[in-house]
Amino acid sequence: MRKLLVLLTLVLAFAVVFSTTPAWSEETVKVGIILPLTGAQAAFGEIERNSFVMAAEKVNAAGGINGKQLELLFEDDTGKPEVARSAAEKLISKDKVVMLGGGYGSSETFAIAGVAQQNGMPFLVNTGSADKITEQGWDYVFRLNPPVSAYPAALESFLTEVVKPESCAILYEDSAFGTSGSKNFAETAERLGIKVVMMEGYSKGGVDFKPLLVKVKQANPDLVYMISYVMDASLLMTQSMELRVMPKLFVGGAAGFTLPEFVKNAGNAANMVYSATLWYETLPYPGASEYYEEYVKRFNKPTEYHGAEAYAACQVIADTLKRAKSFSAEDVKTALAETDMETVFGPVKFVSYDKKINQNKLPTYLVQWIDGKLELVWPKDVASKPYVYPIDWEKVWQ
């Protein structure tokens, strides 16, 4: 009898402890973030994860989500759509997140978006930019960043006002991102009266682009426009330097051409290369320069538009969850749709236009690598440094 009483006492004691200690999930608001943390796109995943963490720490230091801590659950998509799809399913069904964020590669982002829509789970895209992602009528999918078709907007005015090229070659990775972007730029070139003398895709991860670049040299275009991730971007430029491919200008379609790893890998071959970009640290967005300086101080290397997208996405996620009537998917979706705020990446307000729904609209910019530093050069009224043009490639590459 005495043993029974002791046992009952212990059971009651444990019951009291567990009933008065809130579960971890009750103390936090869980959001799933899917990024390429390993594999060929890990450099992008790293800069975005770092930025998400920085923003979440600031949110939590300021009181979190109405008193609850924001908990980001990171999943690695490894740069593969099927892995991204599984990661989204796990976060929704097992981890019970209240919404999804992240989405780097367009193919992976499209896979995540499909899972999110099927499960009625709000998903805020911060980087995946193939136009089709917000053209499916998916009402649970929202995109903070511009679609890839908008990337060359600043470049367009630079070409018409400064360079006035007559011909161009378009090289692109044959992924959803590259295919969509190359098609859009070809349409832009045609509208501007620029003859597309060559348009060719390639499979990612190659090491020898010389056969492709020999064709470019033979075509002799005024402009070479490239849509590539960082390793391919670096190799394209180093091998262009070796072969002395010398158009009036090289322009990257953002992605790999703005990362610090690009100039690190390509060295002198990166010098004077232009790129479309979506953000720069000196733009008059609230907290933009502070975010940049804090990132450099903390990680001992610069950040760029991918990191700013992630930081801003976390700002939007926190704002959405604070405003949501509850953490039900429907209430979170409603709050996300009503977003109207300023972030380090610029204003965020989701609208519908053309075939797109739940799409944020922002201006784009043109940067140039000048003596090892990425400078904002166009439009002139926001430039951090004057552009360099025309370019003497023999002098630059000596």
Side-chain angles (χ1 to χ4, degrees):
M1 183 69 179
R2 185 174 179 179
K3 289 182 179 179
L4 181 60
L5 286 172
V6 171
L7 182 60
L8 285 171
T9 301
L10 289 171
V11 169
L12 287 171
F14 278 114
V16 169
V17 169
F18 284 109
S19 65
T20 58
T21 304
W24 177 249
S25 61
E26 293 174 349
E27 287 295 298
T28 66
V29 183
K30 294 181 178 180
V31 174
I33 307 295
I34 305 172
L35 296 170
L37 302 175
T38 59
Q41 313 309 338
F44 297 98
E46 179 187 20
I47 203 168
E48 295 201 357
R49 186 183 191 282
N50 289 344
S51 300
F52 266 112
V53 169
M54 284 173 59
E57 287 176 352
K58 188 158 287 189
V59 168
N60 287 332
I65 309 299
N66 302 327
K68 294 179 181 289
Q69 293 285 284
L70 174 62
E71 183 183 3
L72 302 181
L73 304 183
F74 289 96
E75 288 288 333
D76 180 12
D77 66 28
T78 72
K80 299 176 181 176
E82 63 274 16
V83 178
R85 187 177 296 108
S86 296
E89 291 168 349
K90 171 186 176 293
L91 288 165
I92 294 168
S93 62
K94 182 179 178 181
D95 297 313
K96 307 297 182 184
V97 296
V98 299
M99 66 181 293
L100 294 173
Y104 174 71
S106 289
S107 298
E108 294 76 59
T109 302
F110 192 76
I112 298 166
V115 173
Q117 182 66 29
Q118 186 177 11
N119 287 272
M121 173 60 61
F123 173 33
L124 176 61
V125 178
N126 59 258
T127 299
S129 56
D131 283 63
K132 69 176 182 178
I133 293 169
T134 49
E135 293 180 342
Q136 306 301 310
W138 289 339
D139 58 332
Y140 280 87
V141 179
F142 297 74
R143 181 158 52 189
L144 176 146
N145 58 294
V148 68
S149 59
Y151 281 23
L155 170 63
E156 182 175 333
S157 61
F158 183 73
L159 294 178
T160 55
E161 294 179 35
V162 179
V163 182
K164 301 180 175 68
E166 295 181 0
S167 59
C168 74
I170 304 171
L171 309 179
Y172 62 96
E173 185 196 276
D174 57 3
S175 60
F177 169 62
T179 302
S180 177
S182 62
K183 180 182 177 184
N184 291 131
F185 188 73
E187 292 170 354
T188 297
E190 183 179 357
R191 179 164 44 81
L192 297 179
I194 302 170
K195 184 179 180 181
V196 179
V197 295
M198 178 180 171
M199 183 172 174
E200 192 160 333
Y202 64 85
S203 299
K204 66 179 179 180
V207 295
D208 184 9
F209 291 104
K210 288 182 178 178
L212 183 64
L213 292 169
V214 165
K215 293 182 184 179
V216 175
K217 188 170 184 176
Q218 291 171 344
N220 193 30
D222 292 336
L223 161 68
V224 175
Y225 187 76
M226 302 163 286
I227 305 177
S228 312
Y229 292 120
V230 66
M231 290 307 299
D232 295 341
S234 304
L235 287 169
L236 280 165
M237 284 313 305
T238 55
Q239 292 173 17
S240 289
M241 182 173 70
E242 290 170 14
L243 292 172
R244 287 312 197 246
V245 179
M246 297 181 184
K248 288 184 177 180
L249 74 167
F250 287 98
V251 181
F257 291 91
T258 63
L259 276 186
E261 285 79 3
F262 171 63
V263 72
K264 181 180 177 181
N265 295 337
N268 200 36
N271 205 21
M272 300 304 155
V273 173
Y274 286 85
S275 179
T277 195
L278 310 181
W279 179 87
Y280 195 78
E281 63 266 21
T282 59
L283 289 168
Y285 296 145
S289 60
E290 290 83 356
Y291 155 68
Y292 180 84
E293 290 164 7
E294 184 182 346
Y295 191 99
V296 172
K297 182 178 179 181
R298 184 162 174 174
F299 300 106
N300 198 32
K301 61 181 179 179
T303 181
E304 41 73 87
Y305 83 84
H306 296 95
E309 287 174 332
Y311 193 99
C314 192
Q315 290 180 305
V316 173
I317 287 168
D319 176 74
T320 296
L321 296 176
K322 288 175 185 177
R323 290 184 290 102
K325 291 180 181 179
S326 75
F327 294 144
S328 72
E330 193 61 34
D331 283 345
V332 171
K333 181 183 78 165
T334 297
L336 187 55
E338 294 171 350
T339 297
D340 187 358
M341 66 180 293
E342 295 290 331
T343 72
V344 300
F345 190 64
V348 178
K349 185 176 184 178
F350 300 107
V351 297
S352 298
Y353 64 94
D354 298 334
K355 298 178 182 178
K356 298 174 179 63
I357 68 168
N358 299 334
Q359 174 66 61
N360 191 33
K361 294 184 77 173
L362 285 168
T364 61
Y365 306 92
L366 191 65
V367 287
Q368 185 179 24
W369 286 99
I370 302 175
D371 299 327
K373 188 175 187 306
L374 191 64
E375 300 284 358
L376 180 61
V377 295
W378 194 266
K380 281 184 178 180
D381 61 342
V382 295
S384 63
K385 198 166 186 175
Y387 62 82
V388 177
Y389 184 83
I391 302 164
D392 183 344
W393 290 112
E394 283 291 1
K395 185 176 180 180
V396 169
W397 290 339
Q398 65 184 5

